[in-house]
């Protein structure tokens, strides 16, 4: 497994804005990508990662929302995820993103969603998500369409966020 470089908005905005393409088959090559993505996510550390964040424009997401450092790992894999239904009720959550480091802001999204996706084995799964799971899958599915959580904020907040990441990247360099 390889830890891959995570693309960030200061240098890689054009790639992050790409719309990812559907996966044709869940095969060993795709599982190798998902393994790399999971290790990259744990290393960051983060709770979700879309393939485009490592520069691969495919509709693939990995996630682990288990809480606490000592919690057992609960990796989840999503290939070609779809939202079948979303609640009218919405809920706010303070979101962040590995591609927009050190920026956090509140985003309002449907509180519950029903999902369909292929898992690590390529089986079709349908299930309901709520709470952090619902927040995270909607955030990651946005990435597949080139949408970042800062795109849900005002233009002023978005501009400030990108400027802040760019400034931090200069300082780190
Ligand atoms: Ni993100």
């Amino acid at each position: 497994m390889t830890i891959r470089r995570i693309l960030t908005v200061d240098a890689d905005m054009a790639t992050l804005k790409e719309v990812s393409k559907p996966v044709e088959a869940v095969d060993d090559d795709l599982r190798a990508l998902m393994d790399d993505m999971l290790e990259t996510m744990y290393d960051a550390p983060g709770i979700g990662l879309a393939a485009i964040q490592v520069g691969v424009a495919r509709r693939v997401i990995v996630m682990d929302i288990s809480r606490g450092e000592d919690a057992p790992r609960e990796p989840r894999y999503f290939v070609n995820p779809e939202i079948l239904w979303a609640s009218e009720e919405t809920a706010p959550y303070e979101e962040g993103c590995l591609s927009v480091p050190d920026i956090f802001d509140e985003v309002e999204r449907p509180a519950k969603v029903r999902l369909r996706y292929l898992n690590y084995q390529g089986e079709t799964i349908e299930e309901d998500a709520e709470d952090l799971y619902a927040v995270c899958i909607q955030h990651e599915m946005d990435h597949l369409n080139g949408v970042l959580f800062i795109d849900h904020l005002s233009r002023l907040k978005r501009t400030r966020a990108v400027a802040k990441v760019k400034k931090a990247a200069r300082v780190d360099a």
Side-chain angles (χ1 to χ4, degrees), residues 27-156:
D27 55 17
D28 287 346
D29 284 347
L30 191 81
R31 279 186 278 270
L33 169 67
M34 292 194 283
D35 292 344
D36 283 0
M37 285 170 60
L38 194 77
E39 283 312 302
T40 303
M41 183 193 82
Y42 283 137
D43 180 67
I47 61 171
L49 191 74
I52 193 63
Q53 292 180 275
V54 294
V56 179
R58 289 287 146 133
R59 303 187 83 80
V60 179
I61 289 164
V62 296
M63 185 188 300
D64 188 336
I65 52 171
S66 57
R67 306 275 199 156
E69 277 182 29
D70 297 329
R73 285 184 171 190
E74 292 172 27
R76 299 169 189 252
Y77 308 86
F78 305 85
V79 178
N80 298 341
E82 298 168 79
I83 289 178
L84 303 176
W85 169 85
S87 65
E88 281 183 32
E89 183 201 351
T90 60
Y93 194 87
E94 184 96 345
E95 298 191 16
C97 180
L98 295 174
S99 294
V100 196
D102 301 321
I103 304 289
F104 300 90
D105 214 326
E106 198 168 86
V107 177
E108 187 99 17
R109 300 182 187 272
K112 295 178 186 176
V113 291
R114 184 163 304 131
L115 304 168
R116 179 161 61 209
Y117 59 93
L118 303 176
N119 66 9
Y120 193 82
Q121 282 77 33
E123 299 156 341
T124 301
I125 308 289
E126 275 191 28
E127 66 190 8
D128 292 336
E130 58 184 358
D131 301 324
L132 182 58
Y133 184 17
V135 172
C136 195
I137 192 65
Q138 290 178 84
H139 173 119
E140 299 309 328
M141 286 181 67
D142 268 356
H143 277 297
L144 306 183
N145 295 321
V147 175
L148 300 163
F149 86 95
I150 53 173
D151 293 326
H152 293 283
L153 308 177
S154 69
R155 182 201 287 235
L156 178 65

